[in-house]
Amino acid sequence: MKFSKYVTLLVCAVSLQIWGCLSIEIENYFYHLQSFVDDIGPGNYSYFKLSRQGNVRIFVETLEGDADIYVSETNSKPTFEDYDFKSVTCGEDYVDIPDSFKRPAAIAIYGHPRFSETKFRCSVYVDTRDLAQNDPEQQHFETTEDEELTGWHFLLKILEFVLDVAL
């Protein structure tokens, strides 16, 4: 019984390591548009609107406390009870907003109530594969890592299967 727990932990650790490598590969496809730093009190929200078309990633790095992201295309002030997309981890959060999502999209950053203050850095990225398709002069954003990404994706699917069987 203990052996299966160790195997499960090992598979989880390897999966997390691969996710770290995979996220580096995916990050190469994103072009940084802008960043800002803000802080919010416990249980409060900081709102902003996203007008940029295309596939966009909102990335929030918590500097102090715990910041979470909520996104909505219909509600102008999304909450943890009313949203379309969310990311609620401790530390780094991101949400990928597809081009099909209605603009302007409403973004809410929530400061968890267990902290007296939450300080965060919010960064907005656009998928450069969209830029390259829409603007021929932007071809220099194109990367050649599709084959490596596919290999990582395949390995990740195998590890997910092993993890599902182990649990």
Side-chain angles (χ1 to χ4, degrees), residues 22 25 29 143-154:
L22 185 60
E25 296 296 328
Y29 290 117
T143 65
T144 58
E145 300 177 26
D146 286 294
E147 293 173 17
E148 291 179 320
L149 185 60
T150 303
W152 280 112
H153 183 71
F154 177 73

Side-chain angles (χ1 to χ4, degrees), residues 52-66:
R52 175 72 184 220
Q53 295 297 320
N55 295 315
V56 176
R57 174 171 287 180
I58 305 296
F59 180 82
V60 173
E61 176 187 5
T62 298
L63 304 173
E64 294 176 26
D66 181 21

Side-chain angles (χ1 to χ4, degrees), residues 19-164:
W19 270 112
C21 295
L22 185 60
S23 68
I24 292 169
E25 296 296 328
I26 292 172
E27 287 299 322
N28 289 334
Y29 290 117
F30 288 95
Y31 176 75
H32 181 249
L33 292 176
Q34 75 179 69
S35 292
F36 64 91
V37 175
D38 198 4
D39 55 77
I40 27 181
N44 290 316
Y45 294 89
S46 181
Y47 294 98
F48 67 98
K49 301 252 184 243
L50 173 70
S51 298
R52 175 72 184 220
Q53 295 297 320
N55 295 315
V56 176
R57 174 171 287 180
I58 305 296
F59 180 82
V60 173
E61 176 187 5
T62 298
L63 304 173
E64 294 176 26
D66 181 21
D68 298 322
I69 310 169
Y70 297 93
V71 181
S72 178
E73 67 181 332
T74 56
N75 180 5
S76 64
K77 293 193 173 185
T79 67
F80 57 80
E81 296 173 331
D82 185 12
Y83 60 88
D84 294 312
F85 297 126
K86 71 175 180 176
S87 180
V88 292
T89 67
C90 293
E92 296 178 344
D93 290 284
Y94 73 89
V95 173
D96 289 330
I97 302 172
D99 186 42
S100 61
F101 209 70
K102 188 176 124 190
R103 301 300 201 274
I107 314 291
I109 311 297
Y110 177 70
H112 198 279
R114 74 175 163 222
F115 297 99
S116 61
E117 181 180 50
T118 295
K119 187 173 189 173
F120 64 91
R121 175 180 297 114
C122 182
S123 300
V124 180
Y125 296 87
V126 66
D127 189 325
T128 59
R129 294 170 291 184
D130 294 336
L131 291 176
Q133 290 173 1
N134 296 333
D135 185 357
E137 294 184 17
Q138 297 292 332
Q139 292 295 331
H140 63 278
F141 287 127
E142 200 70 34
T143 65
T144 58
E145 300 177 26
D146 286 294
E147 293 173 17
E148 291 179 320
L149 185 60
T150 303
W152 280 112
H153 183 71
F154 177 73
L155 182 58
L156 182 63
K157 288 295 180 189
I158 290 173
L159 287 173
E160 285 177 8
F161 174 75
V162 170
L163 185 59
D164 286 342

